[in-house]
Amino acid sequence: MGDISPSQAPLITHIVLFKYRSDITWTDLQAHFDVFLQLPKKCLNKDGKPYMVSMKAGKNQSWEPFSKSLTHGFILEFASQSDLDYYLTRDPVHLAFSAAAKPFIEDSVVIDIHDGVLFGPSPAAPTISQQKTYPGSCHCQSITWEASLTDAKHILCHCNACQKLGGGPYSLNAIIERKDLRILKGEEGLKVYAYKGYSGKEVRCFYCAICTSHVYHQQEIMGEKIIVRTILLDGGRELGVGGEIFKEGRLGWVDELGKVLDGA
C-alpha cells in the first residue's frame, strides 16, 4: 500500500455547539453570524491564503430531547492538525472574533474528530507563545504605558469608524486583556469618546487630551478585552501584519500603493 498523499489524508472536523444567551437581541445575533460565516474567507495562513476547507452552520432542528439546551452547531473542516492549531491559537482574525463572541455564549461543547479514528491518544495541545511586554506612548509623551502581547502583529481594521477617527485608510491594532495594559504615567490625562459600534453596543475610545493619540478602545461587546493601537508601541514599526478585519471597507488603492510609490 502506497503513502497517502496530502489530498487523500482525512480531514479534521472541528465541531462547535453553542448555547446563546437568551437576552441577546436579534440584531446582535445576526451580526455575530454574519462575521462567523465570513471566517472561511477571512482566516488566512502565513502565505495569505484561506486554509479552512469548509464550514457548515445552523440552528438545532432536532425533535429529540437530547440537545442539553445547546441551540446552534458549527462544523469546520481543516486539512491538517497544524491548520486547526493555528486557527485556535494564533489566527488573529479568529482570535478577534472569539473575543467579540464570548459575551454572547452561555455554554458550549467542542470536539474534534478524524473520520474513522475511534481509538488512540488525542493530539498534544500546541505550545502557546509567551507574552512580551512593549512600552508605548502618545505623541506628546504625556501618557506612557506597557502592553503585554502574545505573538504581536498588526491587525489592520478598515472600518469606517477607524478611518474617520484616524484620518487614514486603516488602523493598526491588537486585542489583549484589559489587565495586560498598564498605564505608567499620565492616566489623569486620558479623555473618553464614546460611540455606537456596528453591533449597536458602545465603543469607548481612550485618548490623550493634549495630542489626541488613541491609547486603547474598549468595546462593550468584548467584555474584558480591549484594543490597543500597535503602532504606538515601541518597536511597532517593525511588527508584521497578522490579518485584517472589515476587509469590505478597504480602499481600492491600498493593495497597489506600494507598487505605485515604488514606481514613481
Side-chain angles (χ1 to χ4, degrees):
M1 179 177 175
D3 293 336
I4 298 176
S5 68
S7 61
Q8 296 172 315
L11 297 175
I12 299 175
T13 304
H14 180 65
I15 302 173
V16 181
L17 306 177
F18 284 152
K19 177 184 179 182
Y20 288 101
R21 286 175 32 208
S22 60
D23 59 346
I24 302 173
T25 66
W26 181 90
T27 303
D28 283 349
L29 199 56
Q30 184 61 57
H32 163 79
F33 289 146
D34 289 344
V35 176
F36 204 159
L37 296 176
Q38 287 296 312
L39 292 185
K41 295 179 181 179
K42 294 191 174 183
C43 288
L44 307 178
N45 61 20
K46 296 178 181 178
D47 297 324
K49 298 179 180 179
Y51 61 93
M52 190 185 301
V53 176
S54 69
M55 173 191 282
K56 295 180 180 178
K59 183 178 182 295
N60 176 35
Q61 301 292 335
S62 176
W63 51 263
E64 294 185 287
F66 308 123
S67 68
K68 307 295 184 184
S69 299
L70 299 164
T71 59
H72 292 74
F74 303 86
I75 301 176
L76 288 60
E77 291 185 311
F78 297 87
S80 67
Q81 184 65 45
S82 61
D83 282 351
L84 175 58
D85 290 346
Y86 177 77
Y87 173 79
L88 294 175
T89 64
R90 299 186 62 189
D91 187 318
V93 173
H94 175 243
L95 293 178
F97 167 77
S98 294
K102 186 176 180 180
F104 292 170
I105 299 166
E106 182 175 327
D107 199 2
S108 63
V109 172
V110 179
I111 65 170
D112 300 327
I113 64 171
H114 298 217
D115 188 29
V117 178
L118 302 177
F119 301 96
S122 299
T127 301
I128 305 298
S129 301
Q130 296 296 311
Q131 283 188 329
K132 181 178 178 180
T133 298
Y134 294 82
S137 60
C138 63
H139 185 262
C140 70
Q141 302 290 316
S142 63
I143 302 175
T144 62
W145 60 89
E146 289 181 341
S148 297
L149 283 73
T150 301
D151 193 23
K153 291 182 179 179
H154 298 300
I155 304 302
L156 279 60
C157 180
H158 301 277
C159 77
N160 182 255
C162 282
Q163 292 169 347
K164 288 276 191 178
L165 289 170
Y170 49 77
S171 62
L172 303 174
N173 313 276
I175 297 175
I176 64 173
E177 297 283 349
R178 177 61 184 87
K179 64 180 177 60
D180 290 330
L181 175 70
R182 293 165 293 282
I183 305 297
L184 303 179
K185 183 185 75 171
E187 187 166 12
E188 68 281 358
L190 281 174
K191 297 292 185 181
V192 182
Y193 166 65
Y195 67 94
K196 296 294 184 182
Y198 288 103
S199 67
K201 301 293 186 180
E202 186 176 71
V203 180
R204 304 179 74 204
C205 308
F206 293 79
Y207 65 93
C208 173
I210 300 173
C211 67
T212 73
S213 292
H214 282 223
V215 179
Y216 69 99
H217 290 187
Q218 188 168 32
Q219 299 187 15
E220 181 184 354
I221 199 172
M222 292 177 63
E224 293 301 310
K225 301 279 188 178
I226 62 170
I227 300 168
V228 294
R229 292 291 195 243
T230 43
I231 197 62
L232 299 184
L233 303 176
D234 291 4
R237 293 174 63 86
E238 285 72 52
L239 297 180
V241 175
E244 58 183 346
I245 56 177
F246 291 101
K247 189 174 179 180
E248 62 275 11
R250 184 171 59 185
L251 301 183
W253 48 262
V254 167
D255 286 344
E256 301 299 321
L257 182 60
K259 297 177 183 177
V260 171
L261 294 180
D262 289 342

